[in-house]
Amino acid sequence: MNTKTESYITIATFIGFVITFYLVGYWLIFRMGQATPLMLSVGAATLATCLVRKKSLANLGWQWGNSKYQLHSYLIPLAITLIAYIIIWTFGGGEFYNAEFLADKKQSYNLADWNDASILVFHILLVAIINFLVSLPSILGEELGWRGLLVPELSKVTSFTGIALISGVLWSAFHWPLIIMGLYGNDETSLFFQLFFFTLFITATGTIMAYYRLKTGSVWTAVIYHGASNIFIQKVFTPITTTNANSSIYMDEFGIVLALVATLVALFYWKKGVTEFSATNKP
């Protein structure tokens, strides 16, 4: 059996296990009240795939690699989110800053005497370091599948364009049932609107992550990128933004601006990937 056929079978096996374990993880969401089981379901599918296909777990990208790429993977989602929200604040999609959110943080952090600026800085440092580190184990469970296993297997059977699109759309589709069922997203924009821009954002994000996974051979670039993106969008920029009637159109993972900014950055990495990982120049 040739290498491409082996990879096709591995990819199909992985997708089959993802669907199977997804159903278990989805059921556990309602029992535990958090998304961790769903994220870990991808890791479970990866382990099952490696067992069935007799693939070594050592090939999932455990090596750390060059630290500068890990730093890139932390700073790029920060830059994308910061640029997107500056655009949103500048053109009226929301306002900086949400005083009620900071007032709530003063109470929850038991720092009622601090001013808003101090609380904001403290909150950003806390979530950017502590929350980020705490989130990594569950994110690792998910990234072992999408970038640890799937991206390298796709690289054996398709171009970088195919890798970016297939891995990005599959990663997006993993979230679609949550959006359709109203467990993820918002109540202000249409379901089609949310699915379209969420998929655009996630596919763009996946393109950047796929580039660094292939560039470094390390799954940790994807883990760090995923964790940083979640933290800066969900814990920092979205909650510190005062919303208006139109904010849901523009902000968060389901709005226009973040998806478009991420796509522009992804186009840069897509071009790099097409050049660096062509059929005659694969690592």
Side-chain angles (χ1 to χ4, degrees):
M1 192 178 296
N2 63 43
T3 301
K4 281 194 173 184
T5 301
E6 291 279 359
S7 290
Y8 282 129
I9 294 173
T10 298
I11 292 166
T13 302
F14 170 68
I15 293 172
F17 276 126
V18 167
I19 294 171
T20 301
F21 286 108
Y22 186 95
L23 297 174
V24 177
Y26 187 83
W27 184 82
L28 286 173
I29 284 179
F30 297 96
R31 313 286 84 81
M32 299 177 64
Q34 53 182 305
T36 300
L38 202 60
M39 300 174 76
L40 293 178
S41 70
V42 184
T46 305
L47 296 178
T49 300
C50 289
L51 180 64
V52 170
R53 298 290 298 144
K54 296 181 172 57
K55 297 184 71 66
S56 173
L57 297 178
N59 294 328
L60 296 177
W62 296 101
Q63 63 271 22
W64 180 254
N66 192 322
S67 292
K68 77 174 183 179
Y69 295 118
Q70 313 299 345
L71 182 60
H72 290 176
S73 296
Y74 188 87
L75 294 179
I76 291 169
L78 170 59
I80 288 172
T81 310
L82 176 60
I83 292 168
Y85 275 81
I86 287 175
I87 293 171
I88 290 167
W89 297 333
T90 300
F91 293 98
E95 294 182 9
F96 179 80
Y97 61 96
N98 187 338
E100 291 184 6
F101 172 75
L102 295 182
D104 178 68
K105 289 302 172 186
K106 288 180 184 181
Q107 297 302 317
S108 63
Y109 293 147
N110 196 26
L111 296 170
D113 294 333
W114 285 28
N115 61 36
D116 286 356
S118 298
I119 286 292
L120 178 58
V121 171
F122 179 77
H123 172 71
I124 292 173
L125 290 175
L126 187 68
V127 299
I129 299 173
I130 305 302
N131 286 42
F132 169 77
L133 293 174
V134 169
S135 72
L136 293 184
S138 59
I139 290 173
L140 174 61
E142 186 173 345
E143 286 303 329
L144 281 177
W146 303 128
R147 258 59 62 171
L149 175 69
L150 180 62
V151 163
E153 289 298 326
L154 285 172
S155 72
K156 299 173 185 177
V157 299
T158 188
S159 65
F160 184 73
T161 300
I163 296 167
L165 290 176
I166 295 169
S167 64
V169 171
L170 285 176
W171 188 28
S172 303
F174 179 78
H175 298 82
W176 289 348
L178 300 179
I179 300 172
I180 292 168
M181 295 300 294
L183 301 175
Y184 194 36
N186 61 64
D187 299 323
E188 287 77 38
T189 55
S190 71
L191 178 60
F192 175 80
F193 183 95
Q194 292 183 61
L195 288 172
F196 178 82
F197 284 105
F198 177 81
T199 300
L200 182 61
F201 171 71
I202 290 295
T203 302
T205 299
T207 299
I208 301 168
M209 294 163 74
Y211 172 83
Y212 278 109
R213 171 65 173 99
L214 295 177
K215 179 75 172 179
T216 65
S218 174
V219 74
W220 293 108
T221 53
V223 173
I224 291 170
Y225 193 111
H226 191 158
S229 183
N230 283 356
I231 287 295
F232 290 121
I233 295 170
Q234 300 170 8
K235 302 293 185 181
V236 178
F237 288 97
T238 295
I240 67 171
T241 300
T242 300
T243 59
N244 55 47
N246 296 316
S247 291
S248 295
I249 298 173
Y250 304 106
M251 61 185 284
D252 211 347
E253 298 164 299
F254 313 95
I256 295 172
V257 179
L258 194 58
L260 294 183
V261 173
T263 298
L264 290 175
V265 176
L267 287 173
F268 170 78
Y269 282 97
W270 167 71
K271 290 180 180 179
K272 285 173 66 68
V274 168
T275 301
E276 295 178 26
F277 310 127
S278 65
T280 58
N281 193 34
K282 285 191 176 183

